[in-house]
Amino acid sequence: LYGLEGFSDHETSRYSLPQKSEMEAFETEDPCVEVEEVEMLSQSSLNRLVQSPRTYYFSRLVQDTEEDVMVKGNLFHEFAEFYANFPEFVEEEGLEKFMEVMKNEIRPYVEDIELDKLETEFRVGVMNIMRFVDSREKPENVALEPQEGRGQNVFADYFGKELDKAFAELSFRNRDLSAKGKIDLVLGNELVDYKSSSRSRSKKKIVEEANIELFDGSPDFQPLIYLCELRDKMPGQKLKFTYFYFLSDMASDLGSASDIDEKTVSVTYYPKMFDEKILDLEVFEWMIKDVAKSNDRRKALEKLGHENFKAFFEDKKIPHPYNKDELIESEFASELADYMKKHVGDYKYVEKGAAKTLRKLVEIRKTSFFKEDLNRFEDFLDEKLEDVNRYKEEGFPVGDSDLDGNPYEDMIIE
């Protein structure tokens, strides 16, 4: 053995695999499986799909939210639901009992040193939620129908209470709209969503992120999905979507309760096309109120009168309804100025008032939702549903969006 200088010096035997004809081949099976079709999209799924189809794909595979954040958010929402159902009971039991329940629920997910800070957030948040709910009237009739199922609520379980799911934490699945979701609070024709964000968004920002013609980058389609669901049950009615930012000004709330209205941002849906809605007296009056009598727009419009205002816009479609500068420089602006001078007089304030009138109309367009917005969105939702089912067959592309800040940025290979 020790005299061997290489493998070739050792006695060997040759082996080889038998030819296919000498052995029985493995049975093969068709690897294709039936792909389950997606029938509805939630607002979070749609947001991710539009941001990047690959983001939507990874969101279905990976949990991207830390457990402590999820538990904290759920506790606020479950308290809000419980309080909307049993405000007198909460008052009778006292807030301290509810604080203890919340701390006990969050304790397994955080370090003890964080509990004091979290208790402060819980206390401020629930007190603001209570103040908000108290400022609203519970609806006698709710147009939406809750999805079957009791749902989870730690406070209902703890106190042995049965919740009315028809107006708080209301889940819906609308196959006709291809949409599903959970609405925090339904107040007649107003939908409310609670937000724990430290800073609130303006009406303009909310509309900009939801409007199909305006959003860029990371959209937020929640207002439109929920408004479409409510419009489906309450057609032809003016509706409202409200974000309530219950932790938006904690520093002020620690000293004394701040103004609830400052934490509330509402966007109105008008059941008319924009060019049709601006003919209403409601819009004309809105354009001249809350400004000084010397204001150029107010002076010019008051002398012009609603009937003359309506006559000009009745058969015209406003170009560039989202861009003040382009609209002011358009031929349309010149026509309006000439029209107003003809009826009021060739004065400098009339010319300025005409320009300010158009600026105000653009502001209305960019801070509200109109019939065409929801119509386009419903078509858009159908298109995206078709896309996601096609992607399930062909693969999910990255998309064109900027991936900076994307929660799955490290996983997405372009």
Side-chain angles (χ1 to χ4, degrees):
L1 178 63
Y2 295 101
L4 298 176
E5 296 181 1
F7 288 110
S8 61
D9 296 333
H10 197 277
E11 183 179 349
T12 61
S13 299
R14 181 178 294 277
Y15 293 91
S16 62
L17 291 173
Q19 298 298 315
K20 287 185 178 180
S21 59
E22 300 175 16
M23 58 183 287
E24 185 177 346
F26 290 109
E27 292 184 7
T28 59
E29 294 183 5
D30 186 354
C32 295
V33 295
E34 185 176 346
V35 178
E36 185 176 349
E37 183 176 348
V38 177
E39 296 182 339
M40 288 172 283
L41 291 169
S42 66
Q43 57 90 12
S44 59
S45 295
L46 181 62
N47 291 343
R48 289 168 175 151
L49 181 65
V50 172
Q51 184 180 15
S52 164
R54 194 78 59 84
T55 296
Y56 167 87
Y57 173 72
F58 281 125
S59 73
R60 313 300 294 175
L61 302 176
V62 180
Q63 178 60 263
D64 65 346
T65 305
E66 297 179 9
E67 274 193 297
D68 60 324
V69 177
M70 287 186 63
V71 172
K72 183 173 73 170
N74 289 341
L75 285 170
F76 278 124
H77 281 78
E78 289 173 26
F79 175 84
E81 177 187 23
F82 189 87
Y83 185 75
N85 276 266
F86 306 109
E88 296 86 1
F89 179 82
V90 175
E91 294 286 349
E92 291 170 3
E93 291 293 318
L95 205 55
E96 296 308 317
K97 278 191 178 181
F98 293 86
M99 290 294 101
E100 288 302 315
V101 173
M102 296 177 88
K103 286 192 292 183
N104 289 336
E105 289 295 316
I106 199 72
R107 186 173 278 112
Y109 304 97
V110 299
E111 300 292 338
D112 288 343
I113 196 172
E114 295 181 57
L115 279 177
D116 288 342
K117 177 179 178 293
L118 283 171
E119 182 178 1
T120 301
E121 284 190 35
F122 285 146
R123 193 174 298 277
V124 170
V126 300
M127 289 181 70
N128 282 333
I129 288 170
M130 291 167 65
R131 291 169 59 216
F132 177 83
V133 173
D134 290 344
S135 71
R136 270 29 182 200
E137 290 187 14
K138 181 177 177 180
E140 295 183 4
N141 298 304
V142 179
L144 303 183
E145 297 178 1
Q147 181 183 336
E148 290 185 9
R150 179 172 177 272
Q152 180 182 358
N153 187 293
V154 63
F155 303 102
D157 293 340
Y158 184 85
F159 292 104
K161 294 284 190 177
E162 190 72 25
L163 298 170
D164 178 0
K165 305 293 287 188
F167 77 104
E169 291 296 305
L170 186 151
S171 296
F172 68 90
R173 298 173 67 86
N174 192 323
R175 294 184 183 276
D176 292 334
L177 292 176
S178 306
K180 59 183 178 180
K182 179 182 284 188
I183 302 171
D184 293 343
L185 191 63
V186 182
L187 299 169
N189 68 337
E190 180 184 14
L191 304 175
V192 178
D193 191 78
Y194 300 112
K195 290 292 184 187
S196 59
S197 309
S198 58
R199 297 181 66 181
S200 62
R201 290 175 293 169
S202 65
K203 288 184 181 182
K204 181 180 177 182
K205 190 66 175 176
I206 291 170
V207 172
E208 188 177 89
E209 292 178 349
N211 191 306
I212 301 303
E213 296 191 20
L214 295 177
F215 82 87
D216 182 27
S218 299
D220 177 16
F221 296 122
Q222 183 175 10
L224 288 187
I225 279 189
Y226 290 3
L227 285 171
C228 284
E229 166 66 6
L230 189 57
R231 180 177 74 160
D232 188 52
K233 306 300 187 296
M234 300 175 68
Q237 295 194 38
K238 183 165 74 171
L239 310 174
K240 185 184 292 186
F241 181 92
T242 296
Y243 278 129
F244 177 57
Y245 296 89
F246 57 86
L247 291 179
S248 62
D249 193 10
M250 278 192 60
S252 298
D253 290 330
L254 290 173
S256 59
S258 58
D259 189 350
I260 284 294
D261 290 339
E262 293 180 0
K263 304 175 187 295
T264 305
V265 184
S266 297
V267 178
T268 300
Y269 160 72
Y270 297 100
K272 291 183 178 181
M273 299 295 191
F274 172 65
D275 290 311
E276 180 186 4
K277 178 61 185 176
I278 63 174
L279 305 179
D280 288 357
L281 180 61
E282 176 189 10
V283 174
F284 183 81
E285 291 179 340
W286 188 73
M287 293 177 67
I288 61 178
K289 74 175 184 178
D290 297 332
V291 291
K293 290 184 178 180
S294 58
N295 178 276
D296 292 330
R297 184 181 69 241
R298 177 173 176 176
K299 282 173 61 180
L301 288 178
E302 282 183 334
K303 291 189 176 182
L304 178 67
H306 176 246
E307 288 303 318
N308 286 329
F309 175 87
K310 180 179 177 181
F312 176 82
F313 287 97
E314 204 153 24
D315 299 319
K316 295 180 176 65
K317 185 175 179 65
I318 297 179
H320 318 295
Y322 302 113
N323 192 306
K324 293 179 182 179
D325 294 335
E326 289 186 11
L327 181 55
I328 297 303
E329 296 298 323
S330 70
E331 182 64 29
F332 186 88
S334 299
E335 290 179 20
L336 176 62
D338 292 341
Y339 178 83
M340 292 178 71
K341 288 177 182 179
K342 177 182 176 181
H343 286 80
V344 178
D346 190 359
Y347 304 109
K348 199 69 175 177
Y349 80 87
V350 176
E351 186 173 345
K352 290 182 178 179
K356 290 180 179 180
T357 293
L358 293 179
R359 290 182 180 277
K360 194 66 174 177
L361 289 174
V362 172
E363 181 183 330
I364 294 172
R365 186 67 185 92
K366 295 180 72 173
T367 56
S368 309
F369 293 120
F370 296 88
K371 188 175 182 179
E372 62 261 45
D373 297 325
L374 269 63
N375 290 348
R376 289 182 193 134
F377 179 74
E378 289 184 4
D379 292 339
F380 176 79
L381 187 55
D382 288 337
E383 291 171 10
K384 291 304 167 184
L385 192 64
E386 291 179 7
D387 286 345
V388 75
N389 284 309
R390 188 177 74 254
Y391 295 151
K392 291 186 76 171
E393 296 279 359
E394 302 173 359
F396 287 80
V398 174
D400 300 326
S401 299
D402 185 358
L403 296 176
D404 289 344
N406 189 300
Y408 308 103
E409 180 180 358
D410 295 337
M411 301 172 65
I412 297 177
I413 302 175
E414 298 188 58

